[in-house]
Structure formats: C-alpha cells, structure tokens
Amino acid sequence: RVGELVGLDVAASAAAAGWIDAPDATAHVLGKGHKRRSVPVGGPALAALADWLAVRGSVAKADEPALFVSNRGTRLTPSQVRTR
C-alpha cells in the first residue's frame, strides 16, 4: 500500500509508522486498523534501498525521519508517489 510505503522511516522508533530491518530483510509497517505487520523484502529491493540510502542524506532535511523524501527534503505524500 502506498500509505504504508510513505510512512516508512529510516530508523525504528516509538513514533515510526514503519521501518525496514535490512539485516532481517523485513519491513515493519502500520497497516489498516493500526495493526503492525512484518513484510518480507527481497534482495533486489534491499540493494536498491542501500543505493537510495547512500544519496538520501544529500536530499533529506537534517531532522526528517522519512525514508523516502521529495526534492524538498520532506516526506513524500501518497499523491506524489502516484504522480511519479
């Protein structure tokens, strides 16, 4: 789901709606009904994630927790993802 994707943060925290645990190859997301679930993440996605994390720091604002950010350095919205 797009909402779960844009809700992912770089690191796990009590405030995070979701995050990716790369060593465990799982994404922890907060889905419908505020239920937390774990979703497997494949090797190609983990490789793409590592590539993104290498450049994310140059795009994201310093205090932005979101994993996926826009060119403004803030969390992507579901409509921005759909447009792309």
Side-chain angles (χ1 to χ4, degrees):
R1 297 178 186 271
V2 174
E4 294 171 356
L5 177 73
V6 298
L8 293 173
D9 283 353
V10 173
S13 72
W19 64 89
I20 295 179
D21 183 354
D24 191 36
T26 57
H28 302 273
V29 296
L30 191 61
K32 282 183 152 183
H34 296 294
K35 293 180 183 175
R36 181 141 336 256
R37 61 189 171 96
S38 297
V39 182
V41 179
L46 289 172
L49 178 64
D51 291 344
W52 166 244
L53 288 174
V55 298
R56 180 196 171 276
S58 65
V59 179
K61 290 187 176 183
D63 60 344
E64 180 57 62
L67 177 59
F68 298 111
V69 296
S70 69
N71 57 359
R72 291 183 177 171
T74 58
R75 186 180 299 274
L76 281 173
T77 66
S79 63
Q80 288 171 321
V81 173
R82 288 185 188 101
T83 300
R84 284 173 171 78

